[in-house]
Amino acid sequence: MPITAVDTRALHRVSCGLAELDRVLGGGLVPGSLVLVSGDPGIGKSTLLLQASMQIANAGGVVLYVSAEESPEQIRSRAVRLGPLSDHLLLLAETSLQAIVDQAERLRPQALVIDSIQTIASEELESPPGSLSQVREVAVRLMALAKGKGVTTLVIGHITKDGSIAGPKALEHLVDAVVFMEGEEHQIHRLLRTRKNRFGPTPEFGVLEMTEAGLRELANPSEVFLAQRPSGASGSVVIPILEGSRPLLVELQALVAVPGAPIPRRVFNGLDSGRGALLLAVLEKRLGLHVSACDVYVNVVGGVKVEETAADLGLAAAVLSSAKNLPLDPGLTVFGEIGLAGEVRAVPMAEQRLQEAARLGLSHCLLPQHNLDRAQPAFSSLKITGLRNLEDLARELEPRCKT
Ligand code: TYD
Ligand code: MG
């Protein structure tokens, strides 16, 4: 077929009624796609997809919500808190893959929700629900349904720590898109991020909050993430991270402490521990900071998981501040990658990070000089300083540290 003859109308997307979920999907659900929504148990996956189902149903589309985890009574009692009920939302309590596929083929719903893949099983296989072979079989069969009959399908998959049960990892290559739901159970923020999306431009990122009436959009995520920052405490610094195309300011905290045991402890919460260990070694070697004999705890506040090397400089600043017990200027923000020689390396999308820092009223940003060599952005309220190496960072922080 000539490429010019390909019909792109099939890509008309269906809104889930939740702007943040639409955003991470690349602008809504693509008809006939299979999306995996995964996250820790209790994080809010069922709530998210029930809300989306109710919105689609209230907009006139038929949704088949299959739950093997909760009874229809439980789902209804939860749903009444989330919004108005619609006859278009159909509940099915079923664990048999064949029965679910039969119903979906008969009803041809605008969306099919499976809660969860770990509880559904094919009668043709002997292995128990949740086993690798079952999870794969269910995914392959649902993909055939999505592609063959155009049934848009959303599948919940729990992230399981127990290696004997197949986690969503095994499914990633079988589905069109994977949306991760993250956060800490006892905090209100929930983050959505796509790690894979055949129909979306970039890895996208959304922020929600869990309320009494379900998940709600957050108008200004950076403000919320910084709301509880301690004032005048050492080891705390604001870092501008990029999630997909969206900048977000978060607080990074470090605590360098006298070791409590013969072997010093290293805890990295929200950051890769290998990267963290590497950066501590670079700080020790290049700045002579004796952290190898100390306990070091690092935390990204709000349950955000930072995967960018642009956070390196923030970690270095927080560790320096804690080790010297000198609070940093609360208006300071830092970003940049650190190399093994202690050099500060350029990172992508510096401009967007600076814009977010300026928007939130921060006063000073330390960033890689190499980023400034490419472009010299100017902000009236935000002072910008380029760094070439860790010595530059230490020098810049000294006068910013308040004694
Ligand atoms: P749930 O969607 O059941 O999580 P998952 O399907 O990922 O296991 O969400 C569970 C938590 O969400 C539960 O602790 C209660 C909370 N919650 C609210 O705070 N507000 C609400 O409106 C709802 C429905 C749930
Ligand atoms: Mg659930």
Side-chain angles (χ1 to χ4, degrees):
M1 165 189 296
I3 191 165
T4 49
V6 177
D7 187 356
T8 54
R9 275 175 310 176
L11 276 177
H12 276 321
R13 295 168 185 265
V14 176
S15 169
C16 305
L18 285 161
E20 295 295 277
L21 182 56
D22 284 347
R23 163 203 274 274
V24 298
L25 292 170
L29 278 168
V30 173
S33 63
L34 178 61
V35 177
L36 174 68
V37 175
S38 87
D40 293 333
I43 202 74
K45 302 177 297 298
S46 300
T47 308
L48 178 74
L49 293 193
L50 184 58
Q51 272 181 261
S53 300
M54 292 168 70
Q55 297 275 2
I56 295 169
N58 280 318
V62 170
V63 180
L64 180 60
Y65 190 102
V66 182
S67 180
E69 302 214 334
E70 284 148 300
S71 67
E73 293 77 19
Q74 280 174 306
I75 297 170
R76 183 180 173 153
S77 69
R78 172 185 292 197
V80 289
R81 288 195 284 129
L82 303 177
L85 304 182
S86 160
D87 288 344
H88 289 328
L89 175 55
L90 306 174
L91 303 182
L92 175 65
E94 183 57 78
T95 57
S96 155
L97 174 65
Q98 281 74 16
I100 293 164
V101 171
D102 284 350
Q103 288 284 0
E105 286 184 342
R106 195 171 61 79
L107 288 162
R108 294 288 182 97
Q110 188 164 31
L112 168 67
V113 177
I114 306 287
D115 187 1
S116 67
I117 193 159
Q118 275 102 348
T119 52
I120 307 292
S122 166
E123 289 152 14
E124 286 157 17
L125 298 181
E126 306 247 302
S127 46
S131 62
L132 188 58
S133 53
Q134 280 289 6
V135 164
R136 276 172 190 278
E137 173 68 15
V138 173
V140 168
R141 190 69 195 80
L142 292 174
M143 193 56 152
L145 177 71
K147 295 288 169 277
K149 306 280 178 311
V151 177
T152 311
T153 306
L154 293 148
V155 181
I156 289 176
H158 299 295
I159 292 178
T160 44
K161 295 192 172 88
D162 180 354
S164 66
I165 301 170
K169 274 265 166 233
L171 297 174
E172 275 178 35
H173 66 281
L174 292 172
V175 300
D176 292 316
V178 184
V179 176
F180 282 93
M181 194 168 192
E182 295 170 354
E184 274 150 40
E185 215 183 310
H186 303 294
Q187 292 190 357
I188 58 164
H189 317 118
R190 295 292 181 270
L191 312 173
L192 297 178
R193 61 163 110 208
T194 33
R195 194 156 300 164
K196 163 187 179 173
N197 191 356
R198 285 187 184 140
F199 304 112
T202 38
E204 262 306 344
F205 176 70
V207 191
L208 298 162
E209 65 178 332
M210 183 62 94
T211 69
E212 277 300 298
L215 293 154
R216 291 278 168 272
E217 261 116 55
L218 271 175
N220 199 342
S222 292
E223 210 162 67
V224 174
F225 280 112
L226 298 182
Q228 296 179 45
R229 259 195 100 193
S231 63
S234 64
S236 161
V237 69
V238 175
I239 58 170
I241 58 170
L242 261 155
E243 288 288 356
S245 56
R246 177 192 255 192
L248 183 70
L249 296 180
V250 295
E251 182 191 351
L252 191 147
Q253 296 184 330
L255 183 71
V256 179
V258 177
I263 300 168
R265 276 178 53 85
R266 299 267 177 276
V267 177
F268 297 96
N269 195 2
L271 285 166
D272 179 64
S273 55
R275 187 81 200 160
L278 180 152
L279 291 169
L280 293 181
V282 174
L283 279 170
E284 176 120 12
K285 177 91 178 173
R286 304 292 164 194
L287 291 183
L289 192 73
H290 298 300
V291 282
S292 56
C294 298
D295 285 352
V296 180
Y297 304 90
V298 177
N299 185 35
V300 182
V301 178
V304 183
K305 291 190 177 62
V306 181
E307 284 169 0
E308 290 188 289
T309 53
D312 289 357
L313 212 52
L315 185 132
V319 168
L320 271 169
S321 163
S322 179
K324 297 182 182 244
N325 203 20
L326 293 170
L328 300 176
D329 181 331
L332 181 75
T333 182
V334 297
F335 67 88
E337 181 178 319
I338 296 174
L340 291 183
E343 79 279 20
V344 173
R345 310 177 73 100
V347 298
M349 307 215 252
E351 182 96 28
Q352 284 91 327
R353 297 175 208 267
L354 287 165
Q355 267 163 9
E356 184 72 355
R359 196 176 72 79
L360 268 286
L362 295 177
S363 53
H364 189 192
C365 183
L366 304 176
L367 74 163
Q369 179 60 40
H370 292 292
N371 278 108
L372 295 179
D373 292 345
R374 291 182 204 162
Q376 274 282 354
F379 297 90
S380 55
S381 60
L382 184 69
K383 185 181 161 208
I384 295 169
T385 308
L387 306 181
R388 296 200 177 278
N389 48 47
L390 280 178
E391 287 80 10
D392 285 354
L393 175 72
R395 203 165 35 244
E396 276 298 324
L397 292 186
E398 282 300 335
R400 312 289 306 176
C401 289
K402 290 187 185 150
T403 41

